[in-house]
Amino acid sequence: MDVRVYIAYFLVSFLAAVIVTPLIIRLSYRFRLVDRPNERKVHTREVPRIGGIAIVSGVLAGLVIFRFSFPGLTGIAFGSLVIIITGIIDDIYTLSPIHKLMGQIVAAVIPISFGITISKFMLPFYGEINLDIMSYVITFLWIIIVTNSINLIDGLDGLAVGVSTIALTIMLFFAVSQQQYFLIGYIVLLIGSNIGFFVYNFHPAKIFMGDVGSLFLGYTISLLSIVGFFKGIALTSVLLPVIILAIPLSDTFFAIVRRMLSKQNIMKPDKSHLHHCLLRLGYSHRTTVLILYGAAVLFGTFAFFFPYYNYRVAIVLFLIFLFFIEIIAEVIGLTGGRGNPILHLLRKLGIL
C-alpha cells in the first residue's frame, strides 16, 4: 500500500470539491435553486441547496484521473447515477415522498443485480447460513434504510457531511486493518470530497448539500458497508456498520416508530429528529452539531475495538449498547415522550 497514492486521491477530490462548490453557489443563486425557510427548517435565510453536486464532482474527478476499480464498482456506479439524478430532480422540483422512494428503489436494485448482496451469516455453534432469496430482501432494505438515514439527519449545517465523514473514516481504518485495499481508494475520495465541501457547509453554511448530496452519501455508505463488512460472514461482524451508523440509524428508527404510534405517515417530515431534540434542550446550532460529531466518534471508536470474534462478549456489549441508545433517546425526547417506544408499539399492535 503506497500511502502517497492515497494522499493524491485525497488532494484531488478535496481540491475538486473546494473549486466546484463556489461555482455551484453562484449558479444556485442565479437560477433560484435555494432552500427557503419554513416552519420545519432551522435556517432563517435562503441558502443554495444543490451542494451535493460538489461532493459527486470530487469523487468523479478522482475516478477519472486515477482510473482504479474494485469488485462491485460498476453496480455502485450505475446505481449512484440513478440516486444522483433522483436527488437533483428532488432539489429542483421537490418530488413527492413516493416518487423519491421509487428512485431509491431503482438505485437499490441495480447493485443487487450486479451481485452486491448480503448473502450469508455464520452463527456460533451452528455454522453457515445461506440466506438464498432473503439475501436480496435484506440487502435491499439495508440500502434503503441507510440511504434515508443520512437524508433524514441532514437538518443542520455540516451535520450530515460531518457524521458521514466520521463513519467513512472509521470504515477506512477497518479497510486498512483488514487489508481491504480495493476499498481504500474510493473511501479516501469520498472523505476528500466531503471535507472540501465541509469548508462551505459548516455553520453558518454558505450552501447545503441537498438531497443529491445526502442521498448519494447514504447510498454509497450502505454499499461500501456491504462490500466491506458484510463480506465477513461472522454474525457479529454484521453489527459493526450498525454501531458505526448508530446516529443516523437510531434517528431514523425512532422517527418511524414515533410516527407509527402517532398514526402519521412514516414518510411525513416532522421536527422531532435528534438534532431538533437537542436544540429544544437549549443547545446552540453549532454545539448541537459538535455533540453529534462527538457521539459519532465515540460510537465509531467503540465499533473499531468491538470484540466481534468473541461472540458472547460481543452480543452482550451490543445489547448494552442498544440499551444505552434507548436511554439517551428517552432523556432527550427522541421517543416523543412515550418511554420505551418498542414496548408501546408492540402493545398497540396487540403483541403484548
Side-chain angles (χ1 to χ4, degrees):
M1 185 180 75
D2 190 343
V3 176
R4 292 173 298 179
V5 173
Y6 297 116
I7 292 175
Y9 287 179
F10 175 86
L11 290 175
V12 166
S13 59
F14 172 80
L15 291 174
V18 167
I19 293 169
V20 170
T21 303
L23 300 176
I24 295 174
I25 292 174
R26 287 197 288 271
L27 288 173
S28 297
Y29 280 124
R30 179 177 178 181
F31 294 101
R32 305 303 299 159
L33 300 176
V34 294
D35 201 321
R36 296 176 177 84
N38 61 33
E39 68 282 353
R40 193 177 61 85
K41 297 176 180 178
V42 175
H43 63 280
T44 57
R45 57 187 175 83
E46 292 185 345
V47 181
R49 65 181 180 191
I50 55 172
I53 294 176
I55 297 174
V56 175
S57 299
V59 175
L60 187 59
L63 290 175
V64 170
I65 292 174
F66 298 106
R67 298 179 179 273
F68 67 88
S69 181
F70 61 85
L73 179 59
T74 303
I76 292 175
F78 282 116
S80 295
L81 179 61
V82 173
I83 208 73
I84 290 166
I85 292 173
T86 301
I88 291 174
I89 294 174
D90 187 41
D91 286 334
I92 296 175
Y93 299 107
T94 309
L95 293 172
S96 67
I98 189 65
H99 288 132
K100 187 172 169 181
L101 180 61
M102 287 172 62
Q104 296 174 27
I105 289 172
V106 174
V109 169
I110 291 174
I112 293 174
S113 68
F114 276 83
I116 299 177
T117 59
I118 304 167
S119 57
K120 54 189 175 182
F121 295 126
M122 181 72 76
L123 288 177
F125 315 114
Y126 184 85
E128 186 176 296
I129 296 179
N130 288 303
L131 296 174
D132 298 321
I133 191 67
M134 283 303 297
S135 68
Y136 302 114
V137 177
I138 293 173
T139 304
F140 173 82
L141 291 175
W142 175 255
I143 295 172
I144 295 295
I145 290 171
V146 175
T147 299
N148 280 286
S149 71
I150 301 297
N151 183 235
L152 289 174
I153 206 172
D154 184 27
L156 295 181
D157 298 353
L159 180 55
V161 70
V163 170
S164 297
T165 302
I166 292 168
L168 286 166
T169 302
I170 298 299
M171 292 171 68
L172 177 63
F173 288 153
F174 270 106
V176 172
S177 66
Q178 297 177 1
Q179 298 182 342
Q180 295 177 321
Y181 299 126
F182 61 93
L183 281 180
I184 295 175
Y186 199 72
I187 294 175
V188 169
L189 289 180
L190 282 163
I191 292 174
S193 297
N194 276 1
I195 295 176
F197 175 73
F198 182 80
V199 172
Y200 303 92
N201 185 237
F202 191 63
H203 186 69
K206 297 180 179 66
I207 187 171
F208 295 155
M209 68 166 62
D211 278 6
V212 60
S214 59
L215 290 177
F216 172 69
L217 285 176
Y219 179 78
T220 307
I221 289 172
S222 73
L223 292 174
L224 290 178
S225 66
I226 294 171
V227 174
F229 296 107
F230 288 121
K231 291 303 180 184
I233 62 176
L235 176 63
T236 47
S237 69
V238 174
L239 305 179
L240 295 176
V242 176
I243 298 171
I244 292 171
L245 298 169
I247 293 293
L249 288 179
S250 60
D251 184 56
T252 301
F253 170 77
F254 286 113
I256 292 172
V257 174
R258 185 174 63 244
R259 292 166 190 175
M260 290 178 67
L261 291 173
S262 301
K263 296 182 180 179
Q264 296 177 345
N265 186 337
I266 62 171
M267 293 184 177
K268 185 178 179 181
D270 59 28
K271 290 194 70 171
S272 296
H273 287 286
L274 187 53
H275 48 281
H276 293 129
C277 293
L278 290 175
L279 289 172
R280 278 197 292 270
L281 288 175
Y283 294 105
S284 68
H285 190 128
R286 182 173 299 211
T287 301
T288 295
V289 172
L290 292 176
I291 288 172
L292 294 176
Y293 286 173
V297 171
L298 179 64
F299 296 154
T301 304
F302 175 61
F304 190 72
F305 292 101
F306 189 69
Y308 59 94
Y309 288 117
N310 189 326
Y311 289 103
R312 292 180 179 176
V313 174
I315 291 173
V316 170
L317 286 177
F318 185 71
L319 291 175
I320 293 173
F321 175 76
L322 293 181
F323 179 74
F324 174 76
I325 293 291
E326 165 67 21
I327 295 299
I328 294 298
E330 291 185 22
V331 169
I332 68 173
L334 191 59
T335 62
R338 294 183 175 86
N340 191 308
I342 301 175
L343 295 179
H344 277 282
L345 182 60
L346 292 176
R347 293 191 187 104
K348 201 155 192 171
L349 294 174
I351 298 175
L352 290 179

